Amino acid sequence: MSKPWCEFPCSPDDLVRAVCFGDIETVAAEIGVSAQQLAYWRRGREPVPRVVYLYLRHRAEKTLGAQYGPFRGFSLCERGDALVCPATGIRINHIEIERLPEYRRAQRLAEQQAELIERLMKERDFYRKNCMKQAKYGAMLNTLFPDG
């Protein structure tokens, strides 16, 4: 045999893509086996273990799968330093992830500031209305009881 094979159902093309690409020394070190063992799998001398196939297949993927929940469908950009939202194309850079606590704090501060402004506007309206009442009643009292 000259092609990799396995004892579980999978696409032969996917199996070849997963096992046969990449520097043999680098890939073997990454998965923790000897280069000779990887060569056996590549040449079809031994069946490729399912866990090796799954790891090698998924390590090359650039799109997140269903197991990532709300991030399903996000993909890795070409440079590999950011995730890209499939719906909007917005990039989430790794540096921005470090800044998430700051972004959250800024969001809380903005919300608190909006609440404060709203409260101050209500107080202003209350005092304006009361001042108008006092001025109106004060003017009426001054006409009824002039200084004398």
Side-chain angles (χ1 to χ4, degrees):
M1 297 184 114
S2 62
K3 287 185 176 180
W5 62 282
C6 59
E7 296 174 336
F8 52 89
C10 78
S11 163
D13 293 336
D14 287 344
L15 184 64
V16 169
R17 266 190 234 105
V19 176
C20 293
F21 288 98
D23 176 60
I24 196 164
E25 296 289 334
T26 306
V27 174
E30 184 179 337
I31 60 175
V33 298
S34 67
Q36 181 180 7
Q37 180 62 56
L38 183 58
Y40 285 163
W41 292 332
R42 285 183 174 186
R43 290 187 208 122
R45 293 176 97 190
E46 293 181 14
V48 177
R50 183 182 190 107
V51 68
V52 170
Y53 163 72
L54 291 173
Y55 174 79
L56 292 175
R57 190 177 117 215
H58 289 299
R59 94 184 216 295
E61 288 182 355
K62 290 185 174 184
T63 304
L64 299 181
Q67 69 270 29
Y68 292 97
F71 295 103
R72 177 183 66 246
F74 277 62
S75 61
L76 193 61
C77 76
E78 292 303 317
R79 291 189 333 206
D81 65 346
L83 288 176
V84 181
C85 177
T88 62
I90 294 174
R91 296 167 42 98
I92 301 171
N93 194 304
H94 72 282
I95 293 173
E96 291 176 354
I97 293 172
E98 293 174 7
R99 295 181 183 153
L100 278 177
E102 293 173 32
Y103 292 157
R104 289 180 179 146
R105 193 177 96 237
Q107 177 67 29
R108 279 193 311 272
L109 289 173
E111 289 170 359
Q112 290 171 349
Q113 190 173 26
E115 290 171 4
L116 176 64
I117 290 170
E118 189 174 328
R119 192 181 85 228
L120 290 173
M121 288 174 63
K122 287 179 183 177
E123 289 177 7
R124 179 203 62 195
D125 293 344
F126 172 79
Y127 287 119
R128 183 182 287 165
K129 187 192 285 186
N130 280 336
C131 286
M132 291 294 282
K133 275 184 186 178
Q134 287 178 3
K136 185 172 150 185
Y137 291 124
M140 186 172 49
L141 286 173
N142 282 338
T143 57
L144 290 174
F145 305 106
D147 289 341

